[in-house]
Amino acid sequence: MKYIDPKNFRLKDHIDWKAQAENMKEIAGIVGELVKETDWKDVAAAAGKDAKGLKKRITHEVNLLKNMSPEEVKDLVLNGEKQLGKLYANGKMATVRREWRGIKDTGVDFYEWTRMWGMLLATFSKDLVPALMGATHYRWMISYFCCHSFMDKNTMGLRGRALKMHHELIYAIFRYVAENLVLLMKADEKVGNSTDLSKKIVLFDEMTMSQIMAGFPDLIGIPYQLMPVFLLSEIDQLACMPYIDAIESYGLPSDTCPVPSSECGAVVVDALPHMGACFISSSMPCDGSVMASSYTSRRFKDLPTYHLAFPVRYEDESIMDAAVKDIKGCIKFIEDNTGAKWNWDAYFAAMKRFNEETKYELQKWEINQTPYPQLIGPCYELFRKWNYEMDGGLDPRIISTFKKVDKLMLKAYENKDEAWRGKMKYRAIVWSIPAHYYANFSNWAANCWGVDILVEMESLNFTKPLETEDKEEALKDLSRLYERMVMRRHTNGGYDHVVTELWRQCEAWNVDFVLMYQHVSCKNMATVQGLFEDQARERGIKLLWCSHDLMDPRTVSRKDMRSEFNEFMRTVMKAEPVDPSLLDFEDDTTW
Amino acid sequence: MQDLKHLIKFENLLDDAANDLVKEAQAEGQYAIGYTCYHMPEVLLNVDNCFSTRMRAPRTGSIDISTYYMSNYTCEFARALLERGIEGGYEYLDGVAGVDACSAMNRCYEHLEVLECNKKPHFFVTHTDVPYKVEDYNVDQVATQMRLRLLDVMHEKLGIDVSDEAIRKAVEEHNELCRVVTEIGNFRKLENPPITGYEFHVISLVSYCCPTAKILPLLKETLEEIKTRKPDPKPWFRARVAIVGSEVDDLDLTRLLEEAGAMVVADRYCYGSFPGREEIRLNDDEDIVKQIARHYMMTSECPRYMAEEKIKQRRDTADRLAKEYGADGIIFEQMKYCDFWAFERPLASHILTEEYGWPTLSIDRSYNVHNSGQLRTRFQAFVEALEIKRIRRNAQEQEVVG
Ligand code: SF4
Ligand code: SF4
């Protein structure tokens, strides 16, 4: 059967046209007011300034070209540009133009660009009307229009096989995004209102992985706040600010993590679509997330809710019984609320796939631990999170992405390719939680300083193959997996999981330093910062502390993050930048 | 009102974690087990030759070293305890019975271990898992944890008798303490109570921080004294309030409120008497540890419990206590940088106001409020608002009667 079952997209919508007309009227009113209140002189002046800027930039680039030696021109034509900082302009949302990667790679890039457009158009046309109307109901939908820019910034500086691998990955990420968006808008009461589809949907807390849905092949599990909040914040750095502001003015202190606070803010500003047969709220990954579910369940009182809550001291097998019973309770809850029956065959089939995907993941690690790491950078990180861990083997198409990437990666390794051609100098791993609003930070680090971010803490969660024969054992494995999920494996169950584990990983990956993200409001990580310092000093391991506030760039901007990084590279590593044009530029408003 | 005979002694006992009664008990060969959270059944720490002492960091000053370890965005209570631990303030303990309920406190316990804040060879820190719901299997889970991670450890490290008989004996003594404290607390229901909120706060705290056997006789005596104590003819306070929220072991908070004219009639906060001073009723059929686990889980008011029924229970309890104790309003408080209460406070205080009809003051506060001018002003304003409300209500009632 095709994944996602095409029938789901064909289920009947029950659009309330009168309500849509009302909504459009309201929007027309807002647009009218905007038009009225706009100072058109200012707009004209800004356009003039832009035109001047454009002229200046073109002249500058032509002059650069003129001053180049024939070898340099040849290199530019064949291998692409080297000063990527030129692509940014102060106050702009997008880069000034796309990157020139040399003839061949620009061709590859353009092909992938069109392929992505093709996929997006094909996916949205599966039920275009609700998807389009969704953009008039939900501000966050608009942010997804910048997905191509997201693709560009995550593949910046890449050439050859590395570029191809990253495009494969990002294609899969956006297919996941697009399909979920179409389903969300189709089922949402305010938009498509497809009751038949809604009955098949089980909503999950955004951080809860989908593996449990593998036993319900006829149902669709959607991580509820993923599209309006979590993933969105990786695409558009400004997207979560309205949520955070809303919940803080409701009374939530500003020291809480932006993940749960944005979720609650989205509830307050009514940014979450409403649909589904039931809701699985979860205690994962941390204290703040536990609390966010009380806001969601209050907002959607008509949605039956199950709290899937695994033990925190997960190494303690004596509590396994409670974890398994909780999963069983969850399965029964889904059965009761949807009428579907748990299907072991479907579950085992998906988990076999997941196990195979895990093997491919491990192969990536193996290669990255060698002196010739291949697959590094944000696409790998994002794909792993969404298409591997969150999808959890449900989507059979992911295996073919894994296969294609694996083939390219092995070839690249044989040829001793450099992930960022001619740029790689230092080996590092990321520890702690990365900034969502700077999802492409590792790309910048590679392009600017030649730093290979070989792996992130969040990639190193759980690699034990899941049981695919014995049913009781399978439930235990599923519990183990959930207990060690995204942001949970390291931050919960004792400091050993995060502090001691880092020293183990430093050895395995043979690093020059550790990029220690300091997510200022993550209490789980903040509470071990002194131990990190003490023990790193004892072991002679260099830590590059880089603060951020996960989804709120107002606390620490991208520029501030870069400054901390630059400072460390200059003073501690005594390094020279590979691309000085990237040392300092403005991107406070860039997607 | 005349001063309570033991009040100064009680206050002195609260000046130090290792107070005189703790030292006395230890000199007699008993073991002191420190704990913080209500998730840890206090009664299990009072088995055989052990006694429980709820950890505090009275007179906390700078918390710089613990801030270095745990950053400045984390719970001040957890940091204050760690600071005290690093200063050597918990060297007297023989063990710490920890629960992994919130990350801040869990890390605090871990630091006590890693930084070797206690050098006694038998010293231990346990970490027990706490569930998020109260299903039958969760009760089993807690009972198993208590046996494996607490009682077995106490037996192994300190040679404690953890038999059912020993546990039953501890429950009996605990229940007696609960009866006495509850009876004293009940006086707060009276229109003109013979005890102040501050005095009760002191009494409640000593009952947690001192060995039960040592403090019980003094509390009994105090109860008898209060029974015949004559309150001033006219109540001294201008409004009656219930406090709801996170951990409070700072007498200054109650003092500040009283100075603003508010009598604290109900203490629904961690380290207060709700929950904590309810008797444990045992039957003869079920495993005793399981019964105890269930008691604590059912009575817990901690926002760590995320299940719907527990969320409702918390709001209902606040409403019930405020009614039973004749409060005019509710103060919903939160320890600064505590994630659980940070999320609970805005929503619950909104609901208590909008749906339960309670005038509510919502605040966040430091572990030690000292003489916070900001809090004082907010308390005064709240008391005034409650007073005006009462005057209006009385006037309306008189109109109706007239
Ligand atoms: S970043 Fe930290 S505080 Fe935020 S959701 Fe993740 S674990 Fe929780
Ligand atoms: S006040 Fe909050 S953060 Fe602090 S120990 Fe209690 S529950 Fe934990």
Side-chain angles (χ1 to χ4, degrees), chain A residues 323-361:
Chain A
V324 168
K325 285 190 175 133
D326 206 22
I327 290 208
K328 284 183 179 165
C330 185
I331 291 173
K332 180 158 182 321
F333 171 82
I334 297 174
E335 288 180 340
D336 291 348
N337 282 288
T338 60
K341 273 263 145 276
W342 172 263
N343 178 336
W344 275 110
D345 292 338
Y347 175 76
F348 284 145
M351 289 315 105
K352 279 180 187 148
R353 240 180 345 250
F354 185 65
N355 286 343
E356 204 182 330
E357 292 174 7
T358 305
K359 278 190 207 148
Y360 283 119
E361 272 298 298

Side-chain angles (χ1 to χ4, degrees), chain A residues 207 257-260 285-289 433 487-488 491-492 519 521-525 550, chain B residues 339:
Chain A
M207 300 301 295
C257 169
V259 175
C286 62
D287 300 350
S289 310
I433 289 98
M487 286 205 224
R488 198 174 197 260
T491 57
N492 284 263
H519 166 15
S521 44
C522 175
K523 317 281 199 276
N524 286 2
M525 293 304 297
L550 199 76
Chain B
D339 269 356

Side-chain angles (χ1 to χ4, degrees), chain B residues 37 75 77-78 102 104-105 246-247 302 335 337-341:
Chain B
C37 291
C75 167
F77 171 43
C102 75
M105 193 47 74
S246 64
E247 196 266 359
C302 175
M335 180 81 64
Y337 311 119
C338 164
D339 269 356
F340 286 130
W341 288 98

Side-chain angles (χ1 to χ4, degrees), chain A residues 27-48:
Chain A
I27 289 182
I30 295 170
V31 172
E33 260 172 51
L34 271 178
V35 171
K36 244 197 274 163
E37 281 178 18
T38 304
D39 183 341
W40 292 101
K41 273 192 206 135
D42 273 0
V43 175

Side-chain angles (χ1 to χ4, degrees), chain A residues 107-161:
Chain A
V108 170
D109 196 41
F110 184 67
Y111 166 76
E112 291 295 344
W113 184 83
T114 43
R115 188 163 81 106
M116 176 84 96
W117 268 118
M119 180 273 290
L120 290 175
L121 291 175
T123 309
F124 280 100
S125 57
K126 285 179 182 166
D127 202 357
L128 188 63
V129 177
L132 282 181
M133 280 183 339
T136 68
H137 283 278
Y138 298 108
R139 174 174 28 194
W140 53 264
M141 280 286 282
I142 308 291
S143 291
Y144 284 101
F145 284 114
C146 70
C147 64
H148 276 82
S149 132
F150 186 71
M151 178 180 91
D152 288 349
K153 73 182 177 193
N154 284 305
T155 53
M156 212 176 248
L158 289 167
R159 307 284 186 264
R161 277 180 277 260

Side-chain angles (χ1 to χ4, degrees), chain A residues 1-10 200 217-218 220:
Chain A
M1 193 175 72
K2 226 175 147 197
Y3 189 89
I4 299 168
D5 188 350
K7 279 206 294 276
N8 288 326
F9 293 106
R10 291 199 292 268
K200 291 176 149 202
D218 297 329
I220 303 166

Side-chain angles (χ1 to χ4, degrees), chain B residues 85-128:
Chain B
I86 293 171
E87 288 165 357
Y90 300 123
E91 270 169 358
Y92 74 98
L93 288 176
D94 296 287
V96 171
V99 283
D100 204 338
C102 75
S103 59
M105 193 47 74
N106 171 247
R107 298 285 197 230
C108 167
Y109 303 140
E110 290 189 322
H111 278 84
L112 293 178
E113 261 179 307
V114 179
L115 303 176
E116 296 177 5
C117 297
N118 185 308
K119 305 263 183 330
K120 287 189 183 176
H122 59 242
F123 176 75
F124 62 84
V125 179
T126 60
H127 301 280
T128 45

